[in-house]
């Protein structure tokens, strides 16, 4: 009978030990699930950022292509305009004389620009510039 009581107490002690270990494992599982949740949120955030960056890259590529098309069109128009000017100059002596004539002083000053180190220098130069004379008023030249 004593042997049975000892065996029964041993079985109860073993069951208690197993219950305690299972409780610890449950805590470990819950902690692992929290870590998995945090990592999953981080991965989802990273995936969203990657998708957003990919979308922005596609948009920029489209914009770049559009700008290249506009640049090509503008270059063609400039070539056509230059061709037309050259053709008119070759055909017409009056046009050649007008084209080679010196610009008036006011317009010549408008085209004269110093070299600028920055956009701020350019803006300062613009605001400090001389005003053009009013074409409706007589000047003292």
């Amino acid at each position: 009978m004593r042997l049975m009581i000892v065996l029964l107490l041993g079985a109860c002690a073993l069951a208690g030990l197993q219950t305690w270990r299972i409780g610890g494992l449950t805590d470990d599982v819950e902690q692992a699930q929290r870590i998995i949740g945090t990592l999953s949120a981080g991965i989802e955030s990273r995936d969203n950022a990657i998708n957003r960056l990919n979308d922005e890259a596609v948009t920029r590529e489209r914009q770049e292509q559009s700008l290249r098309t506009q640049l090509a069109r503008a270059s063609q128009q400039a070539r056509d305009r230059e061709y037309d000017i050259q053709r008119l100059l070759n055909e017409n002596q009056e046009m050649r004389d007008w084209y080679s004539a010196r610009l008036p002083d006011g317009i010549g000053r408008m085209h004269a620009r110093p070299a600028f180190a920055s956009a701020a220098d350019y803006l300062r130069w613009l605001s400090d510039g001389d005003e053009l004379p009013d074409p409706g008023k007589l000047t003292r030249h």
Side-chain angles (χ1 to χ4, degrees):
M1 184 67 128
R2 284 185 185 226
L3 182 60
M4 231 139 131
I5 292 176
V6 170
L7 285 174
L8 191 58
L9 284 176
C12 285
L14 227 113
L17 179 66
Q18 291 300 328
T19 303
W20 177 75
R21 286 183 63 200
I22 288 173
L25 290 175
T26 302
D27 291 342
D28 289 347
V29 167
E30 288 173 1
Q31 183 180 6
Q33 287 174 340
R34 281 193 302 271
I35 291 171
I36 288 171
T38 302
L39 292 175
S40 294
I43 290 171
E44 184 177 342
S45 174
R46 184 207 60 199
D47 289 346
N48 290 338
I50 289 171
N51 289 335
R52 189 185 76 246
L53 290 173
N54 283 337
D55 292 343
E56 288 176 7
V58 167
T59 301
R60 285 199 175 107
E61 286 175 17
R62 288 182 187 144
Q63 290 172 342
E64 181 182 352
Q65 183 59 37
S66 173
L67 289 173
R68 287 184 189 279
T69 302
Q70 291 174 9
L71 178 62
R73 193 176 305 126
S75 296
Q76 183 61 44
Q77 288 174 345
R79 281 191 299 273
D80 293 346
R81 189 175 306 116
E82 186 62 33
Y83 173 77
D84 290 342
I85 290 171
Q86 200 59 44
R87 184 180 49 78
L88 289 171
L89 288 174
N90 290 339
E91 291 176 358
N92 189 336
Q93 179 62 39
E94 185 179 340
M95 182 69 81
R96 278 194 299 271
D97 293 341
W98 174 83
Y99 187 76
S100 62
R102 186 173 178 266
L103 291 173
D105 289 339
I107 294 176
R109 283 194 312 270
M110 282 178 49
H111 288 282
R113 294 183 186 175
F116 302 108
S118 69
D121 292 343
Y122 176 70
L123 292 174
R124 192 172 17 269
W125 176 78
L126 281 177
S127 63
D128 293 343
D130 297 330
E131 290 185 19
L132 292 176
D134 186 354
K137 295 182 181 177
L138 295 176
T139 58
R140 291 182 280 165
H141 285 330

